[in-house]
């Protein structure tokens, strides 16, 4: 989305901008708009500033290392940079980690969102009428808040919340807080709920990067249960464009579902990756003639949702968003990126010891 001539450059606070989606969003904003971006990120194991090296020297980009639970630091960032738009992505995001240790999810996703909302409310009250009229808070959420679906149907914006995991429950709680701050305190908010993303710079613990990394290292590729869980996959750059549309043009107080009509079973995703690797990688690990050999079914994740599917008609019809990539086109370039950037994956994994059999 290009910024139009009439659109004034804004100062945008992106929380979690050093993560997978946040960094894609910042690269998009610096490349395609005139806005100034203040990236506020705690730098957990999932963050990587290398994903932002192409914008690091841009005069319109500023990085602040900070926790969203540090209210004073958040307030200082809002005031110093005269923020007129907050796009809130900072969160703990891996479902398996939320089962192994939920407390950081409660701390960052719920208490952190509460802290941010409170700081934005106080900041808004300090602004002139004109500046306050331009302020907005965009909360970035997930389709996982809706729970799971049977064989048919899709989540739309009216679907009742029914989260299954500590991760999705913490995101659902945050969504409720954001709505309450709008209803009770008139905070100008928009929310988006997106399906599973994939693309470059995703921490190698999620299904797609863990599959590629394990395969290239000749390690087994773990698949939960029978692998028949269905997810609606969206290429991360399509999500970044959607986020810009919701943030700038979304109707205040509303939420927008974002999805790519890319339903695939986990097994089909892994097999598609193995097929591409079979063509791309000539020197396979010892004893491997076909990467599909490495697929290994493991006990299902507790509370594992069966199927997610997104009805994205609202964002398509009201904001004119369309995904530009299909699963076939984007999985191809994603696999190539990870094959070419295995050093990045290995370095990322050294930031955390939890690289065993998760995904
Ligand atoms: N990845 C997906 O498929 C997906 C889909 C839909 C929605 N989302 C949502 O999009 C957002 C970004 O997801 P992602 O995949 O890029 O996550 P990620 O795990 O790659 O990155 C999260 C970022 O947030 C930062 N962070 C975590 N806790 C923080 C705190 N307390 N204070 C400041 N920064 C903190 C981390 O350092 C990291 O840079 C999340 O809110 C997630 O719920 C993700």
């Amino acid at each position: 989305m290009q910024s139009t001539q009439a659109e004034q450059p804004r100062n945008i606070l992106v929380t979690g901008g050093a993560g997978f989606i946040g960094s894609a969003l910042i690269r998009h904003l610096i490349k395609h708009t005139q806005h100034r971006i203040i990236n506020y990120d705690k730098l957990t194991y999932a963050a990587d500033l290398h994903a932002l090296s192409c914008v690091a020297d841009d005069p319109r980009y500023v990085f602040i290392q900070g926790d969203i639970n540090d209210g004073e630091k958040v307030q200082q960032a809002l005031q110093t940079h005269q923020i007129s738009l907050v796009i809130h992505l900072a969160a703990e995001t891996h479902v398996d980690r939320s089962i192994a240790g939920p407390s950081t999810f409660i701390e960052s996703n719920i208490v952190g969102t509460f802290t941010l909302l409170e700081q934005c409310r106080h900041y808004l009250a300090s602004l002139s009428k004109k500046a306050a009229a331009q302020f907005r808070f965009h909360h970035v959420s997930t389709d996982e808040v809706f729970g799971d679906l049977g064989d048919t149907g899709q989540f739309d914006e009216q679907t009742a919340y029914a989260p299954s995991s500590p991760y999705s429950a913490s995101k659902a709680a945050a969504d409720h807080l954001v709505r309450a701050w709008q209803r009770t305190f008139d905070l100008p908010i928009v929310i988006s709920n997106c399906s599973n993303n994939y693309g470059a710079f995703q921490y190698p613990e999620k299904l797609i990067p863990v599959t590629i990394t394990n395969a290239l290292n000749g390690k087994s590729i773990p698949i939960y249960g029978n692998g028949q869980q269905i997810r609606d996959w969206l290429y991360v750059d399509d999500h970044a464009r959607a986020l810009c549309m919701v943030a700038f043009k979304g109707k205040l107080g509303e939420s927008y579902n974002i999805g790519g009509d890319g339903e695939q079973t986990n097994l089909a995703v892994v097999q598609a990756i193995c097929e591409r690797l079979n063509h791309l990688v000539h020197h396979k690990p010892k004893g491997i003639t076909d990467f599909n050999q490495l697929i290994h079914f493991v006990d299902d994740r507790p509370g594992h949702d069966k199927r997610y599917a997104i009805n994205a008609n609202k964002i398509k019809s009201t904001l004119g968003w369309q995904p530009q990539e299909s699963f076939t086109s984007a999985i191809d370039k994603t696999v190539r990126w990870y094959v070419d950037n295995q050093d990045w994956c290995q370095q990322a994994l050294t930031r955390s010891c939890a690289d065993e059999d998760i995904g």
Side-chain angles (χ1 to χ4, degrees), residues 287-333:
I288 304 299
T289 51
D290 176 344
F291 284 106
N292 285 290
Q293 286 170 243
L294 292 169
I295 293 174
H296 170 61
F297 294 92
V298 297
D299 285 349
D300 209 353
R301 168 192 279 165
H304 208 172
D305 288 331
K306 182 161 184 270
R307 175 172 168 262
Y308 304 143
I310 280 271
N311 176 337
N313 287 345
K314 180 176 172 181
I315 186 171
K316 288 179 181 169
S317 64
T318 60
L319 303 182
W321 174 82
Q322 284 288 346
Q324 289 177 351
E325 297 281 354
S326 67
F327 183 76
T328 313
S329 64
I331 195 66
D332 210 53
K333 55 181 163 185

Side-chain angles (χ1 to χ4, degrees), residues 19-21 41-42 44 47 67-68 89 93 108 141 167 171 197:
F20 165 51
I21 300 172
D41 196 298
K42 181 180 169 182
T44 68
D67 190 324
I68 51 172
L89 298 100
T93 61
S108 286
S141 189
Y167 164 64
K171 292 296 291 184
N197 282 215

Side-chain angles (χ1 to χ4, degrees), residues 62-121:
V62 175
F63 174 66
I64 300 171
Q65 182 170 4
D67 190 324
I68 51 172
N69 276 305
D70 183 343
E72 227 172 89
K73 198 162 192 173
V74 168
Q75 190 59 232
Q76 197 181 22
L78 292 166
Q79 304 267 1
T80 306
H81 297 284
Q82 286 300 291
I83 299 298
S84 70
L85 169 64
V86 175
I87 309 182
H88 173 37
L89 298 100
E92 291 292 335
T93 61
H94 191 42
V95 174
D96 288 343
R97 287 178 189 265
S98 82
I99 295 167
S103 66
T104 52
F105 287 73
I106 306 304
E107 204 52 44
S108 286
N109 301 3
I110 305 179
V111 184
T113 301
F114 159 72
T115 306
L116 202 54
L117 287 166
E118 278 295 81
Q119 294 307 323
C120 287
R121 178 164 82 92

Side-chain angles (χ1 to χ4, degrees), residues 15-24 39-48 64-70 74 88-94 104 107-109 112-113 139-144 167 171 192-198 201-203 205-206 233-234 236 239 243 258:
T15 72
F20 165 51
I21 300 172
S23 61
N39 175 11
Y40 187 97
D41 196 298
K42 181 180 169 182
L43 298 184
T44 68
Y45 76 95
D48 185 10
I64 300 171
Q65 182 170 4
D67 190 324
I68 51 172
N69 276 305
D70 183 343
V74 168
H88 173 37
L89 298 100
E92 291 292 335
T93 61
H94 191 42
T104 52
E107 204 52 44
S108 286
N109 301 3
T113 301
H139 175 61
V140 179
S141 189
T142 165
D143 62 352
E144 299 192 33
Y167 164 64
K171 292 296 291 184
S192 55
N193 297 87
C194 188
S195 59
N196 277 38
N197 282 215
Y198 64 102
F201 293 112
Q202 186 170 33
Y203 190 81
E205 64 185 350
K206 306 269 169 81
W233 292 93
L234 182 70
V236 68
H239 189 193
L243 290 177
I258 306 169

